Amino acid sequence: MAFTWRYATAADAPALVALVNDAFEVEADVLTGDRIALPDVLGRLERGSFLVCDGSAGGLAGCVYVELRGETGYLGLVSVASARQSLGLGRDLMAAAEGWLHEAGCSVCQLWVLSSRPELLAWYGRRGYRVVRKEPFEAVNPPPTRKPLRPVHFEIMERELTPLGGSG
């Protein structure tokens, strides 16, 4: 199922907060609090971009955050509304983000996955990502506001980018 994406604006920030927190509710048994708050979304809009897909009912169906970091592009917060999951939207969001990063001049795409999410590690692995290193949970900048309820760390995954987000 293909979709049309657009760039989020500051007006989308409250809807982005709701979408991301809904999509990351699955981490509630591992981390305290919400995944993201309004100031974080606004800060990310200053550093990078959210690619969003509008849903049929006027809300956001999905989003992905992209940020240029030299030749390595970062993507994160891949979020799909609960009602739209398992329809291929996550895969399409990834392809749009990878294509966007490649067109912006990035040769590598990087993402960070919580060690408590083996299903995501496997999903990204099927897309050609490989773990290149591990980082402590506290390694993110700015430091996380959520606290782990059990030991977790980040698995940093990367893959080379090809035109239009295709697989290596």
Side-chain angles (χ1 to χ4, degrees):
M1 161 190 302
F3 74 96
T4 303
W5 62 268
R6 64 175 175 82
Y7 292 104
T9 66
D12 293 307
L16 285 165
V17 170
L19 172 65
V20 171
N21 286 332
D22 174 60
F24 280 83
E25 181 64 29
V26 68
E27 294 178 350
D29 66 330
V30 179
L31 300 171
T32 63
D34 288 334
R35 172 61 182 90
I36 201 163
L38 190 58
D40 187 32
V41 168
L42 295 171
R44 286 174 186 260
L45 285 169
E46 291 178 7
R47 294 188 311 273
S49 297
F50 280 92
L51 308 181
V52 298
C53 173
D54 292 310
S56 57
L60 295 180
C63 73
V64 60
Y65 175 73
V66 290
E67 184 178 321
L68 301 177
R69 298 177 178 175
E71 289 186 17
T72 298
Y74 170 81
L75 74 80
L77 298 175
V78 179
S79 304
V80 176
S82 300
R84 300 293 299 267
Q85 292 181 1
S86 301
L87 299 175
L89 186 55
R91 180 191 66 242
D92 290 348
L93 285 164
M94 289 291 295
E98 292 165 350
W100 186 91
L101 290 167
H102 184 268
E103 291 296 315
C106 298
S107 59
V108 174
C109 183
Q110 181 184 90
L111 49 88
W112 292 41
V113 181
L114 270 180
S115 59
S116 63
R117 303 287 309 272
E119 74 284 3
L120 284 184
L121 292 165
W123 191 80
Y124 290 124
R126 289 189 297 274
R127 289 202 50 80
Y129 287 84
R130 60 182 169 59
V131 175
V132 295
R133 71 179 191 279
K134 300 175 188 309
E135 291 286 345
F137 178 74
E138 298 78 19
V140 294
N141 188 14
T145 56
R146 300 187 306 165
K147 303 296 179 216
L149 299 170
R150 58 184 157 131
V152 292
H153 63 273
F154 285 106
E155 302 276 348
I156 314 309
M157 302 182 82
E158 292 183 353
R159 84 176 200 109
E160 291 186 25
L161 293 175
T162 57
L164 302 176
S167 56

